[in-house]
Amino acid sequence: MKTIKVLVVDDSAFMRKWISDFLSEHPRLEVIGTARNGREALEKIAALRPDVVTLDVEMPVMNGLETLQRIMRDHPVPVVMVSSTTTEGAENTIAAMQYGAVDFVAKPSGPISLDLYKVKDELIGKVLHASEANVAALTAPRRQRPSWRLSFKAAARPQQAIVAIGTSTGGPRALETVLTQLPPDLAAPVVAVQHMPKGFTASLANRLDALAAITVKEAEDGEVLQNGTAYIAPGGVHLIVREEGGALKARFDESPPRAGHRPAVDVLFESLAAIRRCRKIAVIMTGMGSDGTVGLKILKESGNTKAIAEARETAVVFGMPRAAIEAGVVDVIAPLDSIAAAIVQSIGE
C-alpha cells in the first residue's frame, strides 16, 4: 500500500514535533519535513512534493489562510488545517474550507495544546482521508451567484416542500456553491447536516449567510422552519424535523452518535420520513463514508421524495454520494454547479 508523504506546518516547535510523532506512528504515513511558517511551507512543498500538508491556521510571517491560498494556486495539494477553537479560530477555519482545505482538526486547548493526544486518532484519520481527496474539485473555478434565472413564478404551490442536505469532508465549499445559487424566493426551507464539531457550525452559517441570497443560520431547537431559509445543524446534536401544529419545526436530538457522527445525515433523513404531507428533496454531497444512505432508503420508502447526489467529478470525496448511488436510491446525479437548479426543479414538480 502506498506511503503517504506529509509536510507538517506549525510555528510552534513543540506542536511540529507532536504532530510529526503522532502521524509517524501510522504505518502508511511518513512525515517528510516540517515548516515554521507559510513562506517556508511553500518552499518545502515545491521541493518535497508532499501528498498531504497539515497547516496551522495562526502563524507569523504568512498566516495559514494566505499560505493556503498560495498553495492551492501554485502547488495544489490536499491540506488539513489545525485550528484553535476560539471564535476567531473558528471563523478562520471556515474561511479555509472555502479556500480549498479538505478538512480540519481542532486543537483541544489553545494554540499550544498539551492535550493534543486527545485528537491523535482524528488527526491520523483526516490525513489519511485527505490523501484520497479530488484536488481538481478543490481548485475548480466556481460560478458566481446567478441572476436568479432559477426564481419561482408567483403561482401558489399545492404542497409544502422541504430540502435536506447531507455532507461531510469538502462540504463547506460545496454548501457555499449550492446555497449561493438558490433564489431568494425559494419555496421551501433547507435543513443541512455538515459533519463538524461544536463551535464551528455557527461560523459556517454566518459565513454562508453573508454570501447567499437566502437566509442561512444555525438551527435552534423548536423554531418553525421558514421558506427561503437554510438551517445548519449545530455540532454535537442531531437535527431532526417534526410536524407540529401544521408547521415544520427543527428539533434537537441527543441520542448517541450514528457511525461516529452527531449530527448525522441518517438521523435527519429518517425524521423526514415521518412527514407525509411534504414534498421532500434529499441531497447527498461530498463526504467520506456512507452517512445518509440508510436514512435515504427509509425516506424513499415513505414516498414523495426526490433524491439528488453529487457527481464523482466534482466531489472532493465521493464516498457518501457513491454509497447512495450504489444503493439504488438516487434519482438524479448532478455536478455541484447543477445541484441548485436540480433542487429548484424538484420543488416545482
Side-chain angles (χ1 to χ4, degrees), residues 69-208:
Q69 290 173 285
R70 291 277 298 275
I71 289 171
M72 301 316 292
R73 186 189 74 193
D74 300 336
H75 304 286
V77 63
V79 174
V80 176
M81 305 303 292
V82 182
S83 162
S84 68
T85 54
T86 62
T87 301
E88 183 182 5
E91 290 171 355
N92 287 337
T93 301
I94 297 305
M97 298 298 102
Q98 316 291 356
Y99 295 155
V102 174
D103 213 331
F104 72 93
V105 175
K107 296 176 182 176
S109 55
I112 300 177
S113 284
L114 299 176
D115 51 359
L116 192 68
Y117 64 87
K118 291 179 179 176
V119 295
K120 172 184 166 183
D121 291 343
E122 180 186 1
L123 176 65
I124 290 171
K126 289 189 172 179
V127 170
L128 290 168
H129 291 162
S131 71
E132 302 173 25
N134 177 3
V135 177
L138 292 168
T139 56
R142 290 178 291 176
R143 284 196 322 204
Q144 297 299 309
R145 181 188 294 172
S147 57
W148 314 126
R149 292 186 305 278
L150 303 181
S151 281
F152 292 94
K153 293 180 180 144
R157 289 279 172 275
Q159 185 179 42
Q160 170 71 55
I162 185 168
V163 179
I165 300 175
T167 189
S168 185
T169 311
R173 188 176 169 92
L175 282 170
E176 178 186 330
T177 298
V178 172
L179 296 184
T180 57
Q181 289 182 17
L182 292 174
D185 57 348
L186 187 74
V190 178
V191 283
V193 165
Q194 162 68 51
H195 294 159
M196 192 171 275
K198 186 177 180 181
F200 289 87
T201 42
S203 293
L204 173 63
N206 291 341
R207 182 174 176 85
L208 292 172

Side-chain angles (χ1 to χ4, degrees), residues 11 36-41 58-64 66-67:
D11 64 324
R36 295 168 295 178
N37 56 58
R39 192 174 300 157
E40 190 175 308
E58 295 150 11
M59 296 185 298
V61 182
M62 185 187 293
N63 68 34
E66 186 181 350
T67 303

